[in-house]
Structures are given as C-alpha cells and as structure tokens.
Amino acid sequence: MLVNSDQIIQALIETLQMVAFSLLFSAVLGVPLGIALVVTRKGHLLENAPFFNVLNGIINVFRSVPFIILLVAIIPITRFLVGTSIGTAAAVVPLVFYAGPYIARLVENSLLEVDPGVIEAAEAMGATPWQIVFKFILPEAMSSLILAFTIATVGLIGASAMAGAIGGGGLGDLAITYGYQRFDTTTMLITVGILIVMVQGLQSLGNITAKKIRRR
C-alpha cells in the first residue's frame, strides 16, 4: 500500500512537534549549562575549577555517545518520564538528552567569542557578575547565539528522523516503514525532499536574522 498525503502531513506535524518541544526543553537545559561553563572557567567571572571540571566532563560524556545508541540506552528513563518508549512524546526525551549538552557547547563557544574588553568595561562600571552576563555578554553574543541555535535545530531535525528507527514517529518513521521496509522509493524521496526544504529554509532564516542583529 502506497503512502498517502494525509500520512505525509501527519508525519510532518509529528516531526515539527518533536523538534519544537525538544528545542524548547534543550534550550532550558543547555543555555544555563553553557553560561555556567563560561563563568566558572579559569580566569572568568565566577572561577570555580572543581565545578567547571565536573560539568565539563559530564557534558563531554553525553556529547560522546552517538544518538542512535543514546536512544536505546535511556529507554528506561523514557518509559519512566512519559510511560512509553515509542511515539512522538517518547522521542522528545532522548532528543533533549542529545541536544541539551550540544546546545551548552554552542552557547559556551558563542559567549567566549565576546570581546574581553566588553567585560572589562562592565566591571569598571561596577556591574555584578550576573549583570555582566545578562546585560553585556548575552546581548553582544546574540548574533552568534542565533546561528548556534540554527545549527542545533538543524541537528534536531536530523536526529528526529533517526528516532524513527525505534518507532519515534515523524518523517523518519515514515521513511523507514514505507520507504525502506516496503521499498517505496517515492515515499523515500518525498520525505528526504521535505527534510532538505526544512533545513534549507531554517538555515536561511537563521542567517538572515543573525545578519540583521549584527548590523544593529
């Protein structure tokens, strides 16, 4: 049986839901971790070597695990949190575990690109460490952060497609169930085409937005 347009639309909606919720929860996790990595590193605002080394090590561990292995490894956690290990809601859990540390690294890199002179000027004005972070460093890094989140979102789109390998739903599940297992080349090409359009559109939007902010 060939796939119909309703199935493709439903798969697209599921992919968008997975990416949106995963990005939201990953940002809530990753942004504070990225800020913590910056401010606690040696010579920075709240230098704390033990805390930095532990946090840095934990993030490296999660970043080292391939997503397809992470999907399977945290199935017990997924079942505990959402009551099932298959479906769109279940796919969000491993996606957050995957993207959270990734976003933390991207945020760290973006914040470290800020000119040290900005921090020195803020300190000279008597700003507190957290005022420096939220009123000086983050605004200065906003253009870079937008590009970082664009990269993270593109990565989540790819990972959400991979989640279809264990019944995560979305375009990946459609491509595997119909395109691969039933040798439906048309469905495979349609799903790949939709993913390409999503990635290209998102990357272009991120580039344009970052450029506008940089010019302000």
Side-chain angles (χ1 to χ4, degrees):
M1 184 179 72
L2 295 177
V3 67
N4 56 50
S5 58
D6 289 340
Q7 289 173 298
I8 294 174
I9 293 172
Q10 180 61 33
L12 175 59
I13 292 173
E14 290 175 353
T15 294
L16 293 174
Q17 288 175 336
M18 277 191 285
V19 173
F21 284 110
S22 299
L23 182 63
L24 173 63
F25 294 128
S26 298
V28 170
L29 175 66
V31 171
L33 290 178
I35 293 173
L37 283 171
V38 172
V39 299
T40 60
R41 70 194 305 113
K42 184 178 180 180
H44 223 281
L45 297 171
L46 300 172
E47 180 179 339
N48 188 325
F51 179 87
F52 173 82
N53 290 332
V54 171
L55 181 59
N56 187 58
I58 292 173
I59 289 175
N60 284 340
V61 168
F62 278 97
R63 293 275 290 114
S64 301
V65 180
F67 180 65
I68 194 67
I69 296 176
L70 186 64
L71 270 171
V72 178
I74 68 168
I75 282 178
I77 299 176
T78 302
R79 283 180 180 156
F80 174 77
L81 292 175
V82 297
T84 180
S85 61
I86 60 174
T88 304
V92 171
V93 177
L95 285 170
V96 172
F97 275 84
Y98 165 76
Y102 184 45
I103 288 177
R105 282 295 181 210
L106 292 174
V107 170
E108 177 192 22
N109 291 336
S110 294
L111 299 187
L112 289 175
E113 291 176 0
V114 174
D115 187 347
V118 173
I119 300 174
E120 293 174 2
E123 289 177 329
M125 288 186 285
T128 65
W130 293 114
Q131 285 176 330
I132 294 174
V133 170
F134 291 104
K135 294 186 177 181
F136 293 88
I137 297 179
L138 286 175
E140 282 292 319
M142 190 56 64
S143 176
S144 178
L145 285 171
I146 288 174
L147 292 177
F149 271 92
T150 301
I151 293 171
T153 308
V154 169
L156 276 171
I157 291 174
S160 70
M162 210 182 307
I166 62 165
L171 292 169
D173 191 23
L174 191 71
I176 292 172
T177 303
Y178 287 88
Y180 176 70
Q181 295 178 350
R182 302 187 185 185
F183 305 101
D184 185 351
T185 305
T186 301
T187 298
M188 184 70 78
L189 291 175
I190 289 173
T191 54
V192 170
I194 293 173
L195 290 170
I196 290 174
V197 170
M198 288 175 64
V199 169
Q200 292 287 352
L202 181 65
Q203 189 65 61
S204 298
L205 179 62
N207 291 341
I208 292 171
T209 304
K211 187 180 292 185
K212 286 183 177 179
I213 290 178
R214 197 178 301 121
R215 288 176 176 174
R216 290 179 182 175

